[in-house]
Amino acid sequence: GTCLTLSAMCSLAVKLTLNLSSSFWVATWMSIECETEVTDNITEAVVEACTSEYKRYLLGYIMISVLAVVLTFISSCLFAVRGVLAAKNLHLKMLKNIFSRSQSFFNATPSGRILNRFSFDTNMIDQFLAQTVTSLITIASL
């Protein structure tokens, strides 16, 4: 429970850090001044040095991006699993509460209303819990 939640939050935090790092990486990449056109003044060695530097920045950006995609997938999976566990926990608590009611409650309350409430609450947890926690962590990290 707690370990799953902490690992999901850590992977999300690292993913957000990688997204920020990729922006800084591209800004640094674009700020280098290197002539790539061969003219009379620039030798082939200078052009080769500039090309290798661009390749290094490109490779770094690809590595950061791939790692961010992998961590996005992992954090999404962890939040989805945690959301299902939360919905299961809510469902079990609701079921326990319903089973402890007296017969007069079932006589006064239509079964459709009880089923509707069960399905609505579980659906809300399934759809919005992971998204809300992700948004909260994202906003808190800014």
Side-chain angles (χ1 to χ4, degrees), residues 25-94:
W25 188 265
V26 169
T28 305
W29 183 10
M30 292 298 119
S31 68
I32 61 171
E33 294 181 15
C34 200
E35 304 258 344
T36 57
E37 295 179 19
V38 177
T39 60
D40 295 334
N41 305 358
I42 299 177
T43 65
E44 288 292 324
V46 173
V47 172
E48 185 63 35
C50 291
T51 304
S52 68
E53 190 171 358
Y54 280 130
K55 286 180 183 177
R56 183 177 63 91
Y57 276 105
L58 180 61
L59 182 63
Y61 182 72
I62 289 171
M63 288 176 16
I64 290 172
S65 299
V66 167
L67 193 56
V69 167
V70 168
L71 284 174
T72 299
F73 178 74
I74 290 171
S75 65
S76 296
C77 288
L78 290 173
F79 276 113
V81 167
R82 190 65 187 134
V84 168
L85 292 175
K88 179 181 175 185
N89 189 23
L90 175 69
H91 187 268
L92 290 175
K93 285 182 180 180
M94 288 171 52

Side-chain angles (χ1 to χ4, degrees), residues 94-105:
M94 288 171 52
L95 198 59
K96 181 180 176 185
N97 193 359
I98 288 292
F99 283 156
S100 67
R101 298 291 176 189
S102 65
Q103 185 63 35
S104 61
F105 171 78

Side-chain angles (χ1 to χ4, degrees), residues 80-135:
V81 167
R82 190 65 187 134
V84 168
L85 292 175
K88 179 181 175 185
N89 189 23
L90 175 69
H91 187 268
L92 290 175
K93 285 182 180 180
M94 288 171 52
L95 198 59
K96 181 180 176 185
N97 193 359
I98 288 292
F99 283 156
S100 67
R101 298 291 176 189
S102 65
Q103 185 63 35
S104 61
F105 171 78
F106 293 103
N107 288 338
T109 308
S111 60
R113 186 177 300 161
I114 296 170
L115 288 173
N116 238 0
R117 180 47 98 189
F118 264 76
S119 64
F120 179 76
D121 288 349
T122 305
N123 187 32
M124 291 298 287
I125 294 291
D126 286 342
Q127 285 186 352
F128 297 111
L129 181 67
Q131 182 181 13
T132 303
V133 170
T134 303
S135 297

